Amino acid sequence: MHSQSALSIEFIIVGGAISGLASAVSLARVGHKVTVLDDSSDFYDTPMGAGARIPPNATKVLYRWGMEQALREVAIKSTGVLFAQFDNGSIVGTHEWEESVLEETGGDFLLLSYGDLRRILAEFAVKHGAVLRPNSQVISVQADTERPSVTLITGEVLTGDVIIGADGCHVPPYHTRRVVLEATEQEDIEKPTGLQLFNVLVPWSAVDKLNDPVAANVKGTGKLCTWFGRTYGALGFPVKEPGTGASLFTLFVYVERDDDDMTVVYAGKEHLVRWLQGCDPRLRTLAESAEKIICIPMIERPFLEEWIHPDGRLLCIGEAAHPIAAGSIYALSMSIGDAAVLGKLFSHLHRKEQIPIFLNAVQEIREPRVQSVLKASLGNIFAVSLPPGIAEQRDRELRERAEQEVWNLGRAGTQTTSEEMIMAIEGIFAYDPEDSADDWWQQWGITHERAQRLFFGGSFGLNVATEEED
Ligand SMILES: Cc1cc2nc3c(=O)[nH]c(=O)nc-3n(C[C@H](O)[C@H](O)[C@H](O)COP(=O)(O)OP(=O)(O)OC[C@H]3O[C@@H](n4cnc5c(N)ncnc54)[C@H](O)[C@@H]3O)c2cc1C
């Protein structure tokens, strides 16, 4: 069962990647009219995408939205993590997610191609009635208390009741974040971290060529491999190629960077191999067989202090509101969480006066959540955010804690349930964003509606529950 909104309004979503498409699903499925604008040419094909990891706190939401079967067809279920030393590849520790632990979280750890994730979200958005418009670059946004609008590069103007800024902060034409930063007089400080991420796809034949028993085992078990070193790190996992289903290995390699260029580019193999001198020789062999390498400079950008434009109905979410380190498992899952809260709150809409209250509630619920997850994941290897030490590179104490945890794991064996593992499971993976939105509605939303009814004699809207059609 899910609730349909008593009042259907028009949403224009700027940006059709994970935040934008997940929001389109969450809003359209509760009865709102949604248009998604993206500057790319195709929602069903993402050439720059590589591998993606979705943790249980996000998969459970997608399953509830009816995507379980579609995801299972293209994803590999991850059963655990292997930790290896970056310089020589020797395995230091390994840990498996127990079935009972995953049951507690209500979801799965899935490994899949980013393009397939985006395609499935696009298909479900359309199925629920959203209109997806590719080749639609937004060049200006006019926030307004009643009818905000956007202007496309073609000169076309689109007007709606609410604009959702889901155009991120990485790809150059991103716009809504800049508009909100300017209107709220917040400085946009972009700090290069001195690291870069190489996002690499390797055909499985290269893994087979390693003739390595550990590598051979990775495909069947969906093991996430992490290599950790002082200023280097890597993550690798199996994925299926969109369209063909062929086996691929995806590698996220984090190495130092010696310039301040902030552009995301395709890179040549020689560029990556240069950085892999003196590391696990298997990593170098895999890099030499790479089919696609994307180089992403790691930049620190501030969270928006205000996610909502002061002139009215423009709300930023996802990377536009809270930039997260490139390649972190939380970039994707926090975006899906934002979308889930947005859809859940707007399922209670029955009069337009609620719109600004709900938009504010999204930030109220999500900002502390995103911050607390990022904080809790620092130094906790069970939070599987980035290779141990990479997110903590600026904090020696936290970096050493992460390293220590890996060594402890090696000593303790695979089935030990440590305090850190419990923290990761209970604090991060078992969390349900839709429950938080329900709690907010019970605590504040209904109270506000009752006050309105008492003081202004308005009607107290009830949701119409419909059968879940998925
Ligand atoms: C092309 C691409 C490939 C990616 N590949 C991976 C991957 O393989 N693995 C992974 O874990 N993460 C990947 N990510 C990152 C991931 O999507 C984000 O980290 C996060 O999950 C969600 O970000 P978001 O949707 O808020 O913003 P983003 O992912 O940054 O998406 C913003 C979207 O808005 C569009 N856009 C920007 N400006 C405008 C404009 N002015 N008008 C209209 N549209 C605009 C962009 O083209 C993009 O589609 C990729 C992101 C992109 C854009």
Side-chain angles (χ1 to χ4, degrees), residues 272-316:
L272 170 59
V273 171
R274 181 165 74 87
W275 286 101
L276 294 175
Q277 304 305 323
C279 75
D280 179 353
R282 290 174 300 183
L283 276 174
R284 222 169 34 249
T285 310
L286 292 174
E288 276 159 2
S289 307
E291 281 182 346
K292 179 159 76 173
I293 305 177
I294 300 152
C295 177
I296 306 162
M298 302 280 288
I299 314 289
E300 249 176 41
R301 296 179 169 93
F303 277 26
L304 287 184
E305 284 161 15
E306 301 295 335
W307 296 13
I308 299 142
H309 193 287
D311 290 348
R313 299 178 187 171
L314 162 63
L315 166 75
C316 285

Side-chain angles (χ1 to χ4, degrees), residues 106-257:
D108 292 312
F109 266 102
L110 294 186
L111 311 174
L112 77 169
S113 92
Y114 177 86
D116 271 333
L117 174 62
R118 186 167 178 243
R119 173 186 55 77
I120 291 170
L121 287 169
E123 284 169 358
F124 273 74
V126 169
K127 180 179 149 199
H128 287 293
V131 175
L132 308 188
R133 291 190 46 176
N135 300 310
S136 299
Q137 186 184 327
V138 170
I139 54 161
S140 79
V141 178
Q142 296 76 43
D144 188 79
T145 49
E146 297 288 325
R147 293 290 287 170
S149 61
V150 298
T151 307
L152 303 187
I153 198 160
T154 53
E156 186 185 354
V157 177
L158 286 99
T159 307
D161 293 301
V162 176
I163 292 172
I164 301 295
D167 48 345
C169 62
H170 303 288
V171 188
Y174 72 83
H175 191 75
T176 57
R177 174 179 168 84
R178 290 198 179 108
V179 170
V180 173
L181 281 166
E182 203 178 299
T184 54
E185 296 180 3
Q186 184 186 342
E187 212 182 329
D188 193 7
I189 308 159
E190 299 188 317
K191 268 197 257 160
T193 61
L195 286 178
Q196 57 192 332
L197 162 62
F198 287 95
N199 207 343
V200 188
L201 277 178
V202 183
W204 199 266
S205 54
V207 181
D208 286 338
K209 260 194 245 151
L210 292 174
N211 208 7
D212 180 299
V214 176
N217 188 29
V218 157
K219 185 160 55 171
T221 56
K223 278 268 161 62
L224 193 71
C225 310
T226 64
W227 288 258
F228 69 99
R230 272 286 136 120
T231 48
Y232 297 81
L235 273 175
F237 53 94
V239 290
K240 295 180 191 169
E241 186 177 49
T244 68
S247 295
L248 299 172
F249 193 64
T250 197
L251 261 181
F252 289 12
V253 181
Y254 293 87
V255 290
E256 283 172 327
R257 186 176 176 103

Side-chain angles (χ1 to χ4, degrees), residues 14-20 37-40 46 48-53 113-115 118 136-139 166-175 199 252 317-320 324 326-328 331-333 335:
V14 182
I18 306 309
S19 305
L37 307 169
D38 197 84
D39 63 332
S40 67
T46 311
M48 264 216 169
R53 297 166 292 151
S113 92
Y114 177 86
R118 186 167 178 243
S136 299
Q137 186 184 327
V138 170
I139 54 161
D167 48 345
C169 62
H170 303 288
V171 188
Y174 72 83
H175 191 75
N199 207 343
F252 289 12
I317 57 165
E319 291 289 290
I324 294 176
S328 160
L332 289 166
S333 62
S335 296

Side-chain angles (χ1 to χ4, degrees), residues 4-9 11 32 344-355 358 441 463:
Q4 289 284 298
S5 171
L7 174 67
S8 172
I9 60 166
F11 283 86
H32 295 293
K344 201 62 171 171
L345 292 175
F346 274 90
S347 72
H348 298 290
L349 193 75
H350 64 100
R351 53 188 183 88
K352 286 200 171 173
E353 290 71 23
Q354 291 170 301
I355 295 174
F358 288 175
W441 173 248
N463 282 314

